[in-house]
Amino acid sequence: MQQRLLFLGPPGAGKGTQAIRLCNRNGLSHLSTGDLLRAEVKAATPLGIETAEIMDKGELVSDSLVLSIVEKRLSDLHGGWLLDGFPRTLPQAESLEVLLEQINQPIDAVVLIELNDEVLIERLLARGRSDDDEAVIRHRLRLYQEKTAPLVDHYNKQGLVKTIEGDGDIEAIASRIEESLK
Ligand code: AMP
């Protein structure tokens, strides 16, 4: 199976759930910038205090801050990995490419999980995280379209994108993903 992966898709598409499952089954390291940021918030580190409000509003944390977190972790990874929720902007994608070139670990595939907005909103409201209020959700979806969706084109040009229909039960989606990565 392909070993160096990005997961792309709107908030609520099931990236986190599928990423954890795929990593457990295939021995990949899971790196979620959202999880790393939430851990900083919980521990009330200076970085967490700086980002809590941004996250609660559904805004994106600055590229430089996210990169500083990822950079440290990436260089420590051995074997296969899956980046979940990163990159989210073109500048992040470009910086990631430079980093990966330095460690000679190119991306093998980009898994794009697609789902329509109505289902996404329903799922996110049911999840009930502190950034899952309806107005904030709509803002996050808008930001996804504006800042993150252009990455699909970017990676399509490199022939890396595997598009997965994100509706259906967890197992069915997991099989679609594994099949696409063979
Ligand atoms: P997630 O768990 O991926 O939905 O991320 C939760 C929140 O963390 C996002 O709404 C952003 O505020 C922040 N965040 C996570 N990853 C990134 C990223 N790569 N760039 C900017 N902000 C991020």
Side-chain angles (χ1 to χ4, degrees):
M1 200 192 74
Q2 292 173 305
Q3 296 284 308
R4 292 185 294 263
L5 310 173
L6 304 189
F7 264 27
L8 263 185
K15 292 188 301 295
T17 307
Q18 293 294 339
I20 291 167
R21 190 180 181 286
L22 191 71
C23 287
N24 286 342
R25 287 171 59 103
N26 297 282
L28 309 177
S29 303
H30 178 217
L31 207 154
S32 152
T33 43
D35 286 351
L36 293 172
L37 290 167
R38 279 186 289 277
E40 300 276 346
V41 171
K42 199 165 171 214
T45 64
L47 195 150
I49 291 164
E50 194 184 327
T51 55
E53 203 183 327
I54 300 171
M55 291 173 75
D56 273 345
K57 285 194 204 147
E59 301 290 348
L60 293 182
V61 172
S62 75
D63 290 339
S64 57
L65 199 149
V66 174
L67 274 164
S68 71
I69 298 185
V70 171
E71 201 165 359
K72 212 169 44 205
R73 308 267 166 167
L74 256 187
S75 51
D76 290 342
L77 293 181
H78 300 285
W81 42 255
L82 190 167
L83 306 187
D84 164 11
F86 173 88
R88 255 184 167 88
T89 64
L90 274 172
Q92 288 181 17
E94 281 156 9
S95 304
L96 175 64
E97 267 144 51
V98 173
L99 277 175
L100 293 178
E101 208 160 293
Q102 281 165 1
I103 56 175
N104 198 20
Q105 295 198 36
I107 297 164
D108 291 331
V110 175
V111 175
L112 168 67
I113 306 184
E114 287 191 327
L115 199 59
N116 75 51
D117 277 10
E118 291 322 303
V119 184
L120 290 172
I121 292 170
E122 224 172 88
R123 280 202 196 173
L124 289 167
L125 284 173
R127 189 168 73 176
R129 219 165 67 186
S130 65
D131 55 351
D132 285 340
D133 144 279
E134 184 158 353
V136 174
I137 290 171
R138 289 194 185 273
H139 184 60
R140 281 163 57 212
L141 289 173
R142 231 177 1 253
L143 271 184
Y144 174 78
Q145 287 307 334
E146 213 175 284
K147 306 274 187 189
T148 311
L151 296 183
V152 177
D153 246 13
H154 177 79
Y155 290 118
N156 253 329
K157 285 189 191 128
Q158 301 176 31
L160 292 174
V161 179
K162 317 278 183 191
T163 303
I164 304 293
E165 166 56 49
D167 208 3
D169 71 74
I170 292 180
E171 289 305 312
I173 299 161
S175 313
R176 281 177 218 153
I177 294 174
E178 292 218 6
E179 200 55 38
S180 78
L181 295 172
K182 274 185 179 159

